[in-house]
Amino acid sequence: GQSLEQPSEVTAVEGAIVQINCTYQTSGFYGLSWYQQHDGGAPTFLSYNALDGLEETGRFSSFLSRSDSYGYLLLQELQMKDSASYFCAVSRTDKLIFGTGTRLQVFP
Amino acid sequence: DTEVTQTPKHLVMGMTNKKSLKCEQHMGHRAMYWYKQKAKKPPELMFVYSYEKLSINESVPSRFSPECPNSSLLNLHLHALQPEDSALYLCASSRLLAGDSEQFFGPGTRLTVL
């Protein structure tokens, strides 16, 4: 089967750094993506790792290790507006397969 | 224009009604998708269209009927739905189908079936 597991909830304070992990049991995918979804909103694309290693986009970084079947999203200098759900997703030939999702709550 | 639009934003329907959801994009994307999302769950793929042809139907009940009239439009026709079909219905598009990394999502239609 194919599954991507994430912690259900993560909490942190403003200005902190938080890491959201994604462990998967699937193979034959192009890359690992991350999406952010605010309550009542649409998922929006954050980052994509086609290769192993770290990709940095402003305050957000994403990491992939295919040998460990593991990836993570790192959020730095947390802001209140970062409170949202975060989904990892693997890109197959024909579709995205989403992870279980992590709800991030940022406190002042 | 880097936007996917969906109408209506909200829809309440009875189990005997027929209604349609509409999705539009003008980014020249050749792949379009319908997802269903329940609260606190990830989006669940329903249908994929590639170059206006249905390429994936994830064993969706026939009371949901997709249609792709042209490369910019995607419809989802609803008939005889059940209360458990109440959910957020998301449309998305991507440049191409094969291994495309980024999907652009519309704001969704919040559907309530009474």
Side-chain angles (χ1 to χ4, degrees), chain A residues 11-83:
Chain A
T11 59
V13 296
E14 268 188 306
I17 299 173
V18 75
Q19 179 173 312
I20 299 174
N21 297 325
C22 174
T23 57
Y24 58 85
Q25 292 182 359
T26 187
S27 60
F29 62 92
Y30 287 96
L32 185 72
S33 304
W34 288 90
Y35 286 78
Q36 178 192 61
Q37 186 177 26
H38 287 99
D39 285 347
T44 55
F45 173 82
L46 290 177
S47 70
Y48 176 67
N49 291 71
L51 303 173
D52 282 10
L54 192 67
E55 292 284 339
E56 297 180 76
T57 310
R59 293 189 297 115
F60 295 171
S61 303
S62 57
F63 174 81
L64 173 62
S65 169
R66 289 176 189 267
S67 59
D68 295 323
S69 298
Y70 166 71
Y72 66 72
L73 179 70
L74 190 74
L75 299 88
Q76 302 182 74
E77 300 172 20
L78 279 175
Q79 302 174 11
M80 296 294 291
K81 67 178 183 179
D82 297 328
S83 292

Side-chain angles (χ1 to χ4, degrees), chain B residues 3-4 11-12 14-15 17 24 26-27 33 36 40 60-61 63 67 75-76 79 83 86 91 101 104 106 109 111:
Chain B
E3 192 179 40
V4 176
L11 179 62
V12 179
M15 290 191 285
N17 292 158
E24 195 165 1
H26 294 286
M27 295 178 278
Y33 312 79
K36 173 183 177 180
K40 300 185 181 181
V60 179
R63 58 185 184 269
E67 179 196 18
N75 298 321
L76 186 63
H79 173 55
S86 298
C91 173
S101 61
F104 292 77
T109 294
L111 175 67

Side-chain angles (χ1 to χ4, degrees), chain B residues 18-110:
Chain B
K18 286 185 181 181
K19 296 286 184 183
S20 296
L21 309 185
K22 182 177 173 180
C23 173
E24 195 165 1
Q25 57 89 12
H26 294 286
M27 295 178 278
H29 289 175
R30 304 316 300 264
M32 296 185 77
Y33 312 79
W34 280 116
Y35 290 88
K36 173 183 177 180
Q37 187 177 29
K38 291 278 202 178
K40 300 185 181 181
K41 296 291 187 184
E44 178 185 337
L45 184 66
M46 299 174 72
F47 302 103
V48 180
Y49 273 83
S50 177
Y51 289 88
E52 300 152 56
K53 287 186 169 34
L54 183 66
S55 66
I56 294 179
N57 175 342
E58 293 281 14
S59 303
V60 179
S62 60
R63 58 185 184 269
F64 296 91
S65 175
E67 179 196 18
C68 190
N70 59 55
S71 61
S72 299
L73 280 176
L74 189 65
N75 298 321
L76 186 63
H77 303 297
L78 314 173
H79 173 55
L81 294 192
Q82 304 296 311
E84 59 264 28
D85 297 322
S86 298
L88 180 68
Y89 287 84
L90 293 161
C91 173
S93 70
S94 62
R95 188 176 56 86
L96 293 172
L97 183 61
D100 205 275
S101 61
E102 182 175 1
Q103 290 188 11
F104 292 77
F105 283 82
T109 294
R110 177 76 59 188

